[in-house]
């Protein structure tokens, strides 16, 4: 048995490269297919995949060839390209090096995407008036995404770094494949039923139109539109747009961007509160200092008027006034007492009793009415004579009037 030659990996890849590039058919390929995962590098090179219903292949179009394109390659576009098949030595992957490319129309998936987008837009799904604003304070965020993907790790890291107080609830979901849209819908409905979060983020990392197709699902669009909780769509890279992006209340260019956005909403409010608190403290300090100055000035003014000495002087003055008032009241009482004595004397002098003591008599009839004149008497009339020491009954025998 002949010993087989031992090859290194580089030797094997180089052999395959030489083998493929020496084939005349593979050196002059003309292929039709649908563009997918189109990316233009900073160097100017164009990287993409060419696919049909059953398979796909990686392609590269270097800058010198890409400059000559008469159109802008887009996701889902059907093209006819010319190039050669080769091997990329560092990774051992075979790829087509494209020399020229012509558009042939839109691919089936992209065409379906445009049709659904037009229908939903006409139904008002994208209207701004239906967009819900994010809460001013977000204390808990729900993530509907793959629990093992790089996107969820980035979002958790950013949220915890920017706002450590924010709670994160993950609803694990497929984000690619036939069952992905249904999983995402269940996550949205679960969060809405529980009302356990303030905002929902649905998303994943970038990929081809096939990879992101779950987010172009019509039923998912309806679930987003009907959600009571605000939803942030964070699907793919900045250049990728899905139906979910248009229906969602807010679109973030990347999952990381969505995390920064929801964390920034609460962080901005906290910063605003801190700023307001500091402003209030400054205002109060200025007010206190101003009032302190006023009080100090008032104290100086008060001391300038010697309040204690003035109070003592007023107290002495009040003592003098008090003495005067007492003397005046005593004199007034003395005078009033003398006046009372005088009045008493006059009243006693005019008293009927004292008059009776001098020998006068008061005469009344049988009803007790006083008789003051002879004309008020009749013969045989009984009268009462009132003396100072008693009374007596008398009978009138005769009357005589003075003339």
């Amino acid at each position: 048995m002949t010993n087989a030659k031992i090859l290194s990996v580089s030797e094997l890849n180089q052999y395959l490269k030489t083998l493929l590039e020496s084939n005349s058919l593979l050196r002059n390929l003309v292929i039709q297919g649908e563009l997918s995962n189109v990316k233009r590098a900073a160097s100017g090179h164009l990287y993409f995949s060419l696919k049909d219903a059953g398979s796909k292949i990686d392609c590269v179009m270097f800058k010198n060839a890409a400059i000559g394109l008469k159109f802008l390659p887009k996701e889902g576009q059907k093209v006819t390209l010319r190039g050669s098949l080769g091997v990329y030595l560092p990774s051992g992957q075979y790829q087509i090096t494209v020399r020229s490319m012509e558009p042939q129309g839109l691919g089936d998936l992209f065409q379906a995407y445009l049709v659904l987008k037009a229908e939903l837009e006409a139904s008002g799904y994208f209207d701004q008036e239906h967009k819900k604003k994010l809460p001013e304070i977000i204390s808990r965020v729900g993530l509907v995404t793959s629990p093992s993907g790089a996107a969820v790790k980035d979002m958790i890291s950013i949220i915890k770094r920017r706002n450590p107080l924010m709670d994160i609830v993950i609803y694990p979901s497929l984000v690619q494949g036939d069952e992905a849209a249904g999983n995402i819908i269940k996550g949205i409905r679960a969060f809405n039923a529980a009302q356990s979060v303030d905002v929902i983020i649905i998303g994943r990392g970038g990929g081809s139109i096939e990879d992101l197709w779950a987010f172009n699902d019509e039923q998912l669009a309806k679930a987003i539109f009907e959600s009571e909780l605000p939803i942030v769509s964070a699907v793919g890279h900045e250049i990728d747009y899905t139906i979910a992006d248009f229906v969602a209340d807010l679109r973030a260019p990347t999952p990381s961007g969505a995390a920064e956005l929801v964390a920034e909403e609460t962080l901005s409010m906290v910063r605003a509160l801190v700023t307001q608190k500091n402003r209030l403290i400054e205002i109060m300090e200025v007010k206190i200092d101003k009032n302190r100055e006023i009080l100090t000035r008032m104290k100086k003014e008060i001391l300038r008027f010697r309040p204690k000495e003035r109070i003592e002087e007023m107290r002495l003055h009040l003592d003098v006034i008090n003495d005067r008032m007492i003397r005046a009241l005593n004199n007034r009482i003395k005078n009033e007492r003398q006046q009372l004595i005088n009045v008493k004397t006059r009243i006693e002098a005019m008293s009927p009793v004292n008059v009776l003591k001098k020998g006068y008599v008061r005469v009344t009839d049988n009803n007790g009415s006083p008789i003051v004149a002879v004309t008020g008497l009749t013969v045989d009339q009984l009268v009462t004579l009132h003396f100072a020491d008693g009374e007596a009954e008398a009978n009138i025998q005769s009357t005589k009037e003075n003339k």
Side-chain angles (χ1 to χ4, degrees):
M1 181 176 179
T2 305
N3 291 333
K5 181 180 180 182
I6 299 175
L7 299 175
S8 66
V9 175
S10 296
E11 287 175 333
L12 177 59
N13 284 342
Q14 182 61 55
Y15 175 77
L16 292 174
K17 177 179 174 66
T18 302
L19 187 64
L20 292 174
E21 292 178 353
S22 63
N23 186 293
S24 59
L25 175 63
L26 299 180
R27 284 202 314 269
N28 297 285
L29 290 173
V30 180
I31 307 177
Q32 282 191 346
E34 184 178 316
L35 293 179
S36 176
N37 206 22
V38 180
K39 296 178 183 178
R40 186 180 294 274
S43 60
H45 303 329
L46 198 62
Y47 297 94
F48 56 92
S49 297
L50 193 69
K51 65 181 184 63
D52 57 20
S55 187
K56 70 176 181 178
I57 188 171
D58 292 335
C59 303
V60 59
M61 192 173 193
F62 294 115
K63 180 180 180 180
N64 59 345
I67 290 175
L69 288 174
K70 300 295 191 294
F71 69 102
L72 181 64
K74 296 180 180 179
E75 191 81 13
Q77 193 172 21
K78 271 191 175 180
V79 296
T80 300
L81 59 79
R82 290 174 172 78
S84 59
L85 184 67
V87 175
Y88 182 58
L89 290 176
S91 63
Q93 292 180 321
Y94 65 86
Q95 62 183 15
I96 297 176
T97 301
V98 181
R99 294 189 294 270
S100 65
M101 183 164 52
E102 297 173 357
Q104 297 296 320
L106 296 174
D108 294 338
L109 281 180
F110 194 65
Q111 184 65 42
Y113 163 84
L114 293 178
V115 170
L116 178 59
K117 179 175 179 291
E119 290 177 355
L120 295 178
E121 187 172 12
S123 300
Y125 274 58
F126 306 160
D127 292 352
Q128 195 62 38
E129 64 188 54
H130 297 305
K131 306 293 185 184
K132 294 177 285 294
K133 292 183 179 179
L134 297 189
E136 291 184 348
I137 297 179
I138 301 173
S139 59
R140 177 173 291 182
V141 59
L143 307 181
V144 181
T145 188
S146 170
S148 59
V152 70
K153 295 177 182 177
D154 290 342
M155 286 190 283
I156 293 172
S157 175
I158 290 170
I159 290 173
K160 287 303 181 184
R161 173 170 50 83
R162 295 176 68 87
N163 189 353
L165 299 178
M166 185 179 289
D167 292 333
I168 300 172
V169 182
I170 300 174
Y171 185 95
S173 172
L174 295 173
V175 291
Q176 183 174 333
D178 296 338
E179 299 179 6
N183 278 183
I184 299 169
I185 292 171
K186 289 180 181 178
I188 292 173
R189 290 176 177 168
F191 280 130
N192 273 273
Q195 291 290 308
S196 57
V197 298
D198 302 308
V199 64
I200 301 171
I201 298 177
I202 60 172
R204 55 152 292 159
S208 65
I209 190 171
E210 295 89 357
D211 297 336
L212 306 181
W213 192 250
F215 295 89
N216 292 319
D217 183 83
E218 183 175 3
Q219 295 305 314
L220 174 59
K222 291 181 178 179
I224 296 172
F225 185 76
E226 294 169 356
S227 173
E228 295 179 10
L229 297 171
I231 294 180
V232 179
S233 177
V235 183
H237 301 301
E238 294 188 18
I239 60 171
D240 298 321
Y241 271 85
T242 65
I243 297 297
D245 292 325
F246 292 109
V247 183
D249 300 297
L250 202 61
R251 187 247 179 188
T254 63
S256 298
E260 291 177 357
L261 191 149
V262 297
E264 182 63 28
E265 286 291 323
T266 304
L267 201 59
S268 296
M269 179 59 63
V270 172
R271 288 171 180 164
L273 290 174
V274 171
T275 301
Q276 189 68 16
K277 173 187 172 184
N278 293 335
R279 287 183 60 189
L280 288 174
I281 290 174
E282 290 176 2
I283 292 171
M284 292 302 297
E285 287 178 346
V286 170
K287 190 74 173 177
I288 290 170
D289 290 341
K290 185 177 180 180
N291 289 339
R292 185 179 287 113
E293 292 178 1
I294 293 173
L295 288 173
T296 302
R297 188 164 58 250
M298 290 176 66
K299 180 180 179 181
K300 291 180 180 179
E301 290 292 326
I302 292 172
L303 292 175
R304 188 167 65 85
F305 284 103
R306 301 175 291 109
K308 290 184 179 180
E309 296 178 11
R310 290 176 67 87
I311 290 172
E312 290 297 329
E313 292 174 359
M314 293 298 294
R315 184 178 287 113
L316 293 174
H317 183 62
L318 289 173
D319 289 341
V320 173
I321 293 175
N322 184 57
D323 292 339
R324 289 178 182 175
M325 289 179 64
I326 291 173
R327 287 197 300 270
L329 286 172
N330 288 334
N331 291 334
R332 182 70 178 271
I333 292 170
K334 184 178 179 181
N335 291 335
E336 294 291 337
R337 184 180 289 115
Q338 185 60 47
Q339 289 182 15
L340 287 172
I341 293 172
N342 294 338
V343 171
K344 178 182 178 184
T345 301
R346 288 197 298 272
I347 291 173
E348 288 177 349
M350 297 174 63
S351 172
V353 176
N354 290 334
V355 173
L356 293 176
K357 287 180 179 180
K358 294 179 180 181
Y360 295 98
V361 174
R362 186 166 64 92
V363 181
T364 61
D365 60 16
N366 58 349
N367 294 324
S369 300
I371 299 173
V372 298
V374 172
T375 56
L377 296 173
T378 60
V379 176
D380 293 329
Q381 180 180 354
L382 289 175
V383 295
T384 302
L385 304 177
H386 299 272
F387 297 90
D389 58 349
E391 298 176 349
E393 297 290 336
N395 184 270
I396 303 300
Q397 298 295 318
S398 64
T399 62
K400 182 182 181 181
E401 298 182 24
N402 291 330
K403 297 198 179 177

